[in-house]
């Protein structure tokens, strides 16, 4: 009888793809996959270790699995992902109930690891990061109608606050043919929306030929015969070229949405972060995007409380957010991560100041979001139906303006029309707006 394996996937969408590839490997080796870890023999937890909050979530989830193991519900616990790669031997030392800790380079060997722990052996495996597979089959954990398309691994940007290069290693582009082949296969299985991801999608191909191949890749994806939509995340501002802008503007299958992690606008703070640009260059980029791509939705991430951020720096950031009126914005308080250059900087801010500034930006963005959402009232939008809410008697879904898992929804009634199926793309007339969501009627 095949052993049952369940997975808890934590962290970002890139880590999720790694988890899906491990599940595929296990399925190919004859293991039975179960959705609920409470009903498995071996619980696999694919952790995040990027910032303090994520690390704490990973530890809490491991402790929950320890509880299940102590109760006899599960036999073994295997820890993978960023926390395992970053802290390696410390994980088993601090959490002795864990049966295996596997660094990201060991993902390809996950079936062997599980066979070992089922034989009551303790396993620690930390091959080179570069052995993490870029290609391979996946057991997708997302709904059937959308999929993440991971085009690269690692990062070479070396932002002073970021532990990703320590955890994930240098930037490695996935072969273009393999990406296109996977996308074509998934589209034939009903995937309608592809979310293109990497630590820095705009850098795709630089390690292969010395310049970005992202525009070429996007053009090739748009040649897929099926009706699909392509959403691009994680483009660094200094690498958004005129060619990329023209590609997004001209290709009907590319959603007019772009995610640009800006982190700050103060040139002084950005230099300390080892990032390029300043308020003037970022303002010019936003202006160009809005001129060249009408109705584009721009998402960004901002950080407050970076070491040495003065009141003047923060005021400039707040003014910038107000002036730009980003369609989508996430704000995070700086997390002091060991072994990063920023962690050793002397002018650290206290936690209360960092969180207070974060709250100010998020309250500010809440007002901006409500204002921008009101501009959709009276418009007709294409909506990818994702479900039905019994409590409100409404269907709901996402428009081009909403990325999965991070953005809002459009709730709509169907009146006398047949309720759409999950995965259908329908037209909805927007009738009202909330702070983060929209309301409407299906046309």
């Amino acid at each position: 009888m095949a052993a049952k394996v369940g997975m808890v996937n934590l962290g970002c969408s890139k880590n999720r793809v790694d988890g899906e590839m491990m599940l595929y490997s296990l399925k190919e080796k004859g293991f039975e996959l179960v959705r609920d870890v409470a009903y498995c023999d071996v619980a696999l937890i694919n952790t995040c270790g990027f910032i303090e909050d994520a690390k704490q979530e990973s530890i809490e989830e491991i402790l929950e699995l320890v509880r299940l193991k102590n109760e006899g519900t599960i036999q073994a616990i295997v820890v993978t992902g960023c926390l395992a790669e970053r802290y390696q031997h410390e994980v088993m030392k601090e959490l002795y109930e864990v049966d295996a800790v596997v660094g990201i380079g060991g993902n390809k060997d996950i079936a062997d690891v599980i066979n070992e722990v089922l034989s009551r052996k303790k396993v620690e495996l930390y091959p080179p990061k570069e052995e993490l597979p870029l290609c391979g089959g996946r057991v997708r954990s997302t709904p059937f109608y959308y999929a993440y398309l991971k085009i690269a691994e690692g990062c070479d940007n070396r932002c002073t606050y970021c532990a990703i290069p320590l955890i994930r290693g240098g930037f490695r582009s996935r072969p273009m043919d393999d990406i296109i082949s996977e996308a074509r296969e998934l589209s034939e299985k009903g995937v309608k929306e592809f979310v293109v991801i990497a630590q820095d999608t705009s850098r795709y191909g630089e390690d292969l030929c010395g310049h970005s191949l992202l525009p070429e890749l996007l053009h090739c994806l748009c040649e897929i015969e099926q009706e699909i939509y392509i959403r691009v995340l994680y483009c660094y501002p200094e690498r958004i070229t005129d060619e990329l802008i023209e590609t997004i503007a001209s290709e009907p299958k590319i959603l007019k949405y772009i995610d640009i992690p800006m982190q700050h606008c103060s040139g002084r703070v950005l230099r300390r972060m080892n990032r390029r640009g300043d308020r003037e260059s970022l303002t010019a980029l936003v202006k160009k995007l809005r001129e060249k791509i009408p109705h584009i939705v721009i998402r960004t991430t901002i950080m407050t409380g970076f070491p040495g951020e003065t009141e003047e720096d923060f005021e400039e950031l707040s003014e910038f957010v107000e002036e730009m009126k980003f369609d989508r914005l996430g704000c995070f308080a700086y997390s002091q991560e060991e072994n990063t250059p920023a962690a050793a900087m002397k002018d650290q801010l206290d936690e209360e100041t960092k969180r207070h500034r974060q709250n100010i930006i998020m309250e500010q963005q809440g007002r901006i979001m409500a204002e921008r959402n009101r501009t959709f009232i009276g418009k007709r939008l294409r909506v990818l139906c994702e479900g039905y809410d019994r409590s409100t008697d409404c269907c709901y879904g996402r428009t081009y303006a909403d990325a999965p898992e991070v953005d809002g929804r459009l709730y709509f009634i169907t009146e006398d029309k047949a309720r759409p199926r999950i995965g259908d793309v329908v037209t909805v007339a927007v009738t009202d707006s909330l702070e983060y969501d929209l309301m409407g009627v299906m046309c």
Side-chain angles (χ1 to χ4, degrees):
M1 186 174 178
K4 297 178 180 179
V5 180
M7 175 179 281
V8 177
N9 244 325
L10 302 176
C12 66
S13 52
K14 298 172 286 293
N15 200 47
R16 178 198 283 263
V17 172
D18 294 345
E20 292 173 344
M21 292 176 69
M22 282 191 280
L23 289 176
Y24 181 86
S25 173
L26 292 170
K27 185 179 178 181
E28 289 292 291
K29 294 290 186 178
F31 291 96
E32 180 182 347
L33 305 182
V34 296
R35 289 187 176 275
D36 190 338
V37 291
Y39 298 96
C40 69
D41 300 309
V42 180
L44 189 62
I45 178 163
N46 194 29
T47 60
C48 181
F50 178 43
I51 59 175
E52 189 59 38
D53 289 348
K55 287 183 282 187
Q56 192 58 43
E57 180 188 17
S58 294
I59 292 168
E60 289 171 0
E61 289 287 345
I62 294 171
L63 291 175
E64 175 59 22
L65 295 179
V66 168
R67 182 185 68 80
L68 292 176
K69 182 182 176 183
N70 290 339
E71 291 175 353
T73 304
I74 61 178
Q75 295 180 34
I77 302 167
V78 178
V79 180
T80 65
C82 289
L83 191 79
E85 177 64 36
R86 187 172 185 184
Y87 294 104
Q88 299 193 353
H89 304 288
E90 294 177 45
V91 176
M92 196 171 288
K93 180 180 177 182
E94 297 296 327
L95 300 162
Y96 61 88
E97 298 93 343
V98 166
D99 298 277
V101 182
V102 181
I104 63 171
N107 285 10
K108 66 186 185 307
D109 304 308
I110 195 64
D112 293 336
V113 170
I114 290 179
N115 281 324
E116 290 281 292
V117 300
L118 286 170
S119 301
R120 307 298 182 191
K121 296 178 181 177
K122 292 273 188 175
V123 179
E124 291 189 84
L125 182 65
Y126 311 111
K129 302 173 180 61
E130 294 72 24
E131 292 185 18
L132 173 73
L134 288 177
C135 309
R138 295 158 57 187
V139 174
R140 287 194 299 115
S141 56
T142 52
F144 73 90
Y145 49 84
Y146 80 85
Y148 291 106
L149 205 55
K150 184 176 173 183
I151 63 172
E153 177 54 60
C155 189
D156 288 340
N157 289 319
R158 305 288 172 179
C159 301
T160 57
Y161 55 81
C162 185
I164 290 298
L166 300 174
I167 301 170
R168 291 277 173 173
F171 189 85
R172 294 185 295 139
S173 296
R174 182 179 168 190
M176 189 180 298
D177 288 348
D178 189 69
I179 298 169
I180 296 165
S181 176
E182 181 186 35
R184 183 169 283 112
E185 179 181 339
L186 290 173
S187 70
E188 291 169 355
K189 294 179 179 178
V191 172
K192 287 188 170 69
E193 179 180 349
F194 290 96
V195 186
V196 178
I197 56 171
Q199 298 298 340
D200 178 359
T201 55
S202 47
R203 197 172 194 135
Y204 174 74
E206 283 190 10
D207 56 318
L208 302 177
C209 65
H211 65 272
S212 176
L213 294 175
L214 182 60
E216 180 181 340
L217 172 64
L218 294 176
H219 282 302
C220 290
L221 291 172
C222 289
E223 292 175 0
I224 291 174
E225 297 79 10
Q226 282 76 11
E227 180 185 4
I228 62 167
Y229 303 95
I230 300 164
R231 188 184 302 275
V232 184
L233 303 187
Y234 313 124
C235 290
Y236 274 58
E238 66 270 19
R239 292 195 180 89
I240 297 178
T241 61
D242 289 344
E243 183 185 10
L244 179 58
I245 293 172
E246 173 58 27
T247 300
I248 296 172
S250 63
E251 288 283 8
K253 289 185 177 181
I254 300 179
L255 297 171
K256 309 316 173 194
Y257 177 111
I258 190 167
D259 174 66
I260 312 170
M262 295 184 182
Q263 306 305 352
H264 216 284
C265 72
S266 162
R268 190 186 73 86
V269 173
L270 287 168
R271 285 189 294 275
R272 286 169 63 85
M273 290 179 170
N274 195 33
R275 294 177 67 94
R276 300 176 188 174
D278 53 23
R279 182 173 179 178
E280 182 180 359
S281 64
L282 294 172
T283 299
L285 174 62
V286 172
K287 182 180 179 182
K288 178 187 285 189
L289 284 165
R290 287 174 171 163
E291 285 178 350
K292 300 290 186 180
I293 312 174
H295 310 299
I296 189 170
V297 168
I298 301 175
R299 178 178 180 83
T300 192
T301 48
I302 295 296
M303 181 186 297
T304 57
F306 186 79
E309 181 191 56
T310 64
E311 283 289 348
E312 291 75 18
D313 293 325
F314 176 70
E315 298 238 350
E316 183 179 4
L317 178 63
S318 179
E319 290 172 3
F320 176 69
V321 169
E322 190 66 42
E323 179 187 354
M324 293 298 96
K325 296 191 183 303
F326 292 104
D327 304 272
R328 306 285 184 264
L329 181 146
C331 183
F332 304 90
Y334 166 72
S335 176
Q336 187 176 6
E337 295 300 312
E338 66 267 38
N339 300 320
T340 62
M345 293 180 180
K346 295 180 180 179
D347 40 5
Q348 303 286 328
L349 277 66
D350 62 85
E351 200 64 30
E352 183 179 356
T353 299
K354 292 189 286 188
R355 298 288 181 182
H356 177 64
R357 291 178 180 179
Q358 177 192 26
N359 290 337
I360 289 173
I361 294 293
M362 289 311 298
E363 288 174 8
Q364 185 178 353
Q365 181 62 20
R367 294 191 297 272
I368 293 169
M369 278 280 297
E371 175 187 324
R372 295 195 75 77
N373 270 352
R374 283 193 290 271
T375 66
F376 285 105
I377 295 175
K379 294 181 179 179
R380 294 188 173 197
L381 299 175
R382 299 287 281 167
V383 178
L384 179 62
C385 182
E386 295 194 299
Y388 171 73
D389 185 343
R390 291 183 181 276
S391 63
T392 60
D393 194 28
C394 286
C395 297
Y396 60 86
R398 291 181 294 106
T399 71
Y400 81 98
D402 302 300
E405 302 186 275
V406 294
D407 292 331
R409 289 173 168 173
L410 195 161
Y411 292 85
F412 60 95
I413 57 175
T414 58
E415 291 190 330
D416 58 346
K417 298 178 178 62
R419 187 188 303 168
R421 297 169 300 178
I422 292 174
D424 283 352
V425 178
V426 298
T427 300
V428 175
V430 180
T431 57
D432 200 0
S433 68
L434 307 172
E435 185 177 11
Y436 294 105
D437 301 316
L438 298 173
M439 303 292 293
V441 180
M442 193 173 86
C443 301

